[in-house]
């Protein structure tokens, strides 16, 4: 069993009372694994056909408990293709706690590694906008890689703090998610390293930092919008007490209840004396109740009802020379081009109709690629996000030996009935866009990025 900090145990015993032994016993069990269907590329029915041992999560039709302990799911070809995101069940609950509709503009303030951002992307569809932010540069790269793998077509990835987001996007979003940085108490079972880093002083420091982040993030919401606050900690000062403080400073926000399906899998939040809102409407996830790890979520509504403020858009149109190269190549790839072609600084981007960016971004929309020697070299993002719309497609089953050869970086051979047309196209595995290639006489030259390739096969 994990050796839990004494001060942590004393607090949890006080919080849980007679439930404490069950809570403590849950640390003898292995972490509950889970996965979530990526609607940008797949469906629940397709994921069920993978043969993985899945049980549905009652609070989300896209969420599943993954009942296996062996490692290696992340190396499955369908995982490389972005059919699903490996995400423990409790981590899906914050996004599942709010009514998010197609076409919404959403901001994820503390987004890495990308589980909740890509969950938001699945809900808003191509007509929405996702601004996904991460303050730590190395984690922002991980965030971008997951957005790329899952083929999100309308994400703007930023690497800044909440104060800058407020200055760029005040009043611009329907939904804002703050999955606040915290002491990681809810991850003790999954990540024992978090135990060694825990202290009461760190909890207090995280609470103060999160208060500032939440205040700035809330300003990005339009009147009538929804604010989701979540943490992976049990500490009341990081959860209910922080929300009570926020409510005392922001009279235009009220707490709304989580859905019944979430309520049935969670424990009510703790009441806070003299708070003007009922914080038992928020929800706590405990490993002995939810089956996943620890999580807290509170959903708040901003008063009023007003449209989003327009985003000052820094995207530009490529030069005539660039378009003279891009347009014929894209028509060869797609026939009718399924996106708009824009430029952010020196980055050529494929964007959906509502994509807009202000301030400084790490990535915008889908990278088209680079023009070299008067020709476009397509980027992997283009194949991942739009490969299923390309004219040339090579459909492989996940058990086809050529899939592993492709993931290794090798060329693969087409059979006579798989098409003879030369040119760039997309390799798909079980219907999901895996990556790009160029057919030359029946041999697919591999364009899967070196950094993503599987070694040792």
């Amino acid at each position: 069993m994990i050796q839990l900090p004494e001060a942590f145990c004393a607090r949890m015993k006080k919080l849980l009372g007679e439930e404490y032994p069950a809570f403590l016993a849950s640390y003898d069990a292995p972490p509950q694994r889970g996965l979530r269907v990526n609607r940008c590329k797949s469906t629940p029915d397709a994921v069920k056909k993978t043969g993985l041992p899945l049980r549905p999560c009652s609070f989300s039709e896209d969420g599943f408990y993954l009942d296996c302990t062996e490692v290696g799911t992340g190396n499955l070809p369908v995982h490389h293709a972005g059919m699903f995101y490996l995400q423990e069940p409790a981590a899906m609950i914050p996004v599942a706690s709010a009514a998010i509709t197609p076409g919404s503009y959403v901001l994820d303030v503390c987004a890495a590694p990308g589980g909740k951002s890509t969950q938001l992307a699945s809900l808003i569809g191509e007509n929405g906008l996702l601004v996904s932010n991460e303050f730590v540069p190395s984690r922002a790269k991980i965030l971008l890689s997951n957005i790329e793998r899952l083929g999100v077509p309308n994400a703007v990835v930023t690497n800044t703090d909440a104060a800058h987001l407020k200055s760029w996007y005040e009043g611009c979003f329907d939904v804002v998610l703050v999955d606040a940085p915290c002491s990681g108490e809810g991850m003790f079972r999954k990540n024992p390293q978090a135990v060694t880093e825990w202290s009461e002083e760190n909890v207090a420091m995280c609470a103060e930092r999160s208060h500032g982040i939440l205040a700035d993030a809330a300003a990005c919401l339009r009147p009538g919008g929804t604010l989701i606050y979540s943490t992976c900690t049990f500490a009341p000062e990081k959860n209910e007490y922080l929300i009570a403080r926020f409510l005392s400073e922001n009279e235009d926000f009220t707490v709304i209840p989580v859905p019944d399906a979430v309520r049935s899998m969670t424990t009510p939040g703790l009441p806070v004396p003299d708070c003007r809102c009922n914080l038992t409407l928020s929800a706590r996830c405990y490993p002995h109740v939810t089956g996943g790890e620890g999580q807290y979520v509170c959903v708040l509504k901003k008063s009023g009802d007003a449209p989003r403020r327009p985003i000052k858009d820094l995207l530009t149109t490529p030069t005539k020379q660039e378009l003279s190269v891009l347009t014929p190549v894209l028509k060869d790839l797609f026939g009718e081009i399924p996106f708009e072609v824009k430029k952010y600084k020196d980055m050529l981007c494929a964007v959906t109709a509502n994509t807009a960016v202000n301030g400084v971004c790490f990535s915008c929309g889908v990278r088209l690629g680079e023009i070299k020697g008067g020709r476009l070299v397509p980027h992997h993002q283009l194949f991942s996000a739009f490969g299923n719309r390309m004219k040339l497609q090579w459909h492989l089953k996940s058990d086809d030996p050529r899939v592993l050869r492709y993931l290794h970086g090798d060329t693969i051979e087409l059979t006579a009935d798989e098409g003879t047309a030369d040119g760039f196209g997309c390799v798909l595995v079980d219907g999901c866009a895996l990556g790009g290639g160029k057919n030359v006489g029946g041999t697919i030259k591999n364009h899967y990025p070196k950094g993503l390739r599987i070694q040792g096969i």
Side-chain angles (χ1 to χ4, degrees):
M1 179 176 170
I2 299 169
Q3 190 64 40
L4 299 172
E6 289 185 10
F8 169 76
C9 291
R11 186 230 291 155
M12 296 309 299
K13 188 173 184 178
K14 184 177 180 181
L15 281 178
L16 292 170
E18 61 185 25
E19 283 190 59
Y20 178 71
F23 169 78
L24 196 62
S26 70
Y27 286 87
D28 288 329
Q32 173 64 62
R33 303 177 69 196
L35 65 78
R36 179 182 43 75
V37 179
N38 173 29
R39 292 275 183 172
C40 295
K41 284 191 171 185
S42 192
T43 64
D45 285 342
V47 173
K48 291 174 186 176
K49 291 177 182 178
T50 61
L52 289 167
L54 304 174
R55 285 184 295 119
C57 293
S58 61
F59 53 82
S60 171
E61 63 178 338
D62 291 340
F64 294 89
Y65 294 95
L66 180 59
D67 291 329
C68 62
T69 56
E70 66 269 16
V71 296
T73 309
N75 270 334
L76 292 175
V78 287
H79 181 263
H80 277 266
M83 180 179 281
F84 53 80
Y85 186 96
L86 293 171
Q87 187 175 28
E88 66 91 4
M92 306 176 201
I93 284 179
V95 172
S97 294
I100 298 170
T101 56
S104 295
Y105 280 33
V106 298
L107 167 64
D108 187 355
V109 179
C110 311
K116 294 178 179 67
S117 270
T118 52
Q119 187 177 3
L120 289 165
S122 285
L123 296 172
I124 65 174
E126 286 193 6
N127 291 325
L129 172 67
L130 167 65
V131 174
S132 190
N133 178 71
E134 173 54 44
F135 178 71
V136 181
S138 60
R139 287 172 55 81
K141 292 178 181 178
I142 296 170
L143 168 64
L144 177 58
S145 70
N146 279 315
I147 285 175
E148 176 181 278
R149 179 174 63 83
L150 272 65
V152 179
N154 50 345
V156 175
V157 179
T158 56
N159 171 216
T160 189
D161 57 27
H164 280 99
L165 293 174
K166 175 183 176 180
S167 69
W168 300 337
Y169 293 114
E170 189 166 359
C172 293
F173 292 95
D174 304 297
V175 179
V176 174
L177 169 65
V178 179
D179 186 40
C182 63
S183 57
E185 293 175 6
M187 297 291 107
F188 281 175
R189 187 170 67 165
K190 182 179 177 182
N191 179 21
Q193 177 66 26
V195 179
T196 65
E197 298 171 354
W198 182 90
S199 70
E200 293 177 293
E201 293 77 17
N202 190 36
V203 170
M205 180 191 70
C206 288
E208 192 60 33
R209 181 170 56 180
S210 295
H211 174 261
I213 292 172
L214 185 60
D216 287 333
C220 299
L221 201 64
R222 69 167 177 85
T226 301
L227 176 62
I228 309 169
Y229 177 79
S230 65
T231 73
C232 57
T233 189
F234 305 117
E237 55 266 50
K238 188 72 169 59
N239 298 332
E240 292 90 351
Y241 293 163
L242 187 146
I243 293 296
R245 178 182 174 187
F246 172 82
L247 290 168
S248 71
E249 298 166 350
N250 296 272
E251 295 185 357
D252 53 342
F253 281 86
T254 55
V255 177
I256 60 175
V258 298
D260 290 343
V262 170
R263 177 64 67 206
S264 68
M265 297 292 295
T266 58
T267 298
L270 304 175
V272 176
D274 301 322
C275 180
R276 63 180 176 82
C277 291
N278 179 10
L279 290 180
T280 65
L281 298 177
S282 61
R284 285 175 159 259
C285 304
Y286 292 111
H288 68 291
V289 176
T290 308
E293 306 312 307
Q295 197 87 32
Y296 171 79
V297 59
C298 184
V299 184
L300 302 106
K301 193 78 172 177
K302 190 173 185 178
S303 63
D305 186 13
R308 301 179 297 260
R309 288 181 58 191
I311 295 172
K312 178 183 178 181
D313 192 7
L314 300 182
L315 293 175
T316 61
T317 301
T319 66
K320 289 183 178 180
Q321 183 178 0
E322 288 168 332
L323 288 173
S324 70
V325 175
L326 292 171
T327 303
V329 173
L330 294 176
K331 286 185 176 179
D332 282 343
L333 281 171
F334 295 101
E336 184 176 347
I337 302 172
F339 46 73
E340 295 182 41
V341 177
K342 293 289 186 177
K343 194 173 180 182
Y344 175 76
K345 297 184 178 179
D346 293 329
M347 186 190 307
L348 295 166
C349 311
V351 301
T352 54
N354 293 320
T355 303
V357 59
N358 194 4
V360 180
C361 79
F362 204 71
S363 179
C364 176
V366 174
R367 297 186 186 189
L368 285 174
E370 292 183 84
I371 295 175
K372 294 182 178 179
R375 295 187 299 176
L376 176 69
V377 180
H379 194 281
H380 176 62
Q381 276 192 13
L382 185 62
F383 295 110
S384 181
F386 292 106
N388 64 336
R389 304 184 199 184
M390 290 181 175
K391 291 195 296 183
L392 286 184
Q393 297 178 4
W394 304 293
H395 290 263
L396 305 179
K397 296 293 185 182
S398 57
D399 59 357
D400 189 321
R402 292 176 296 175
V403 174
L404 286 181
R405 292 203 295 271
Y406 176 82
L407 288 171
H408 187 251
D410 300 335
T411 59
I412 58 175
E413 302 296 325
L414 296 175
T415 62
D417 61 348
E418 287 177 327
T420 57
D422 287 352
F424 280 110
C426 186
V427 176
L428 292 90
V429 57
D430 291 352
C432 280
L434 179 59
K438 187 175 184 180
N439 184 25
V440 180
T443 298
I444 304 297
K445 294 187 175 181
N446 200 309
H447 280 255
Y448 198 61
K450 291 181 180 179
L452 300 179
R453 293 176 183 176
I454 298 177
Q455 304 301 315
I457 61 171

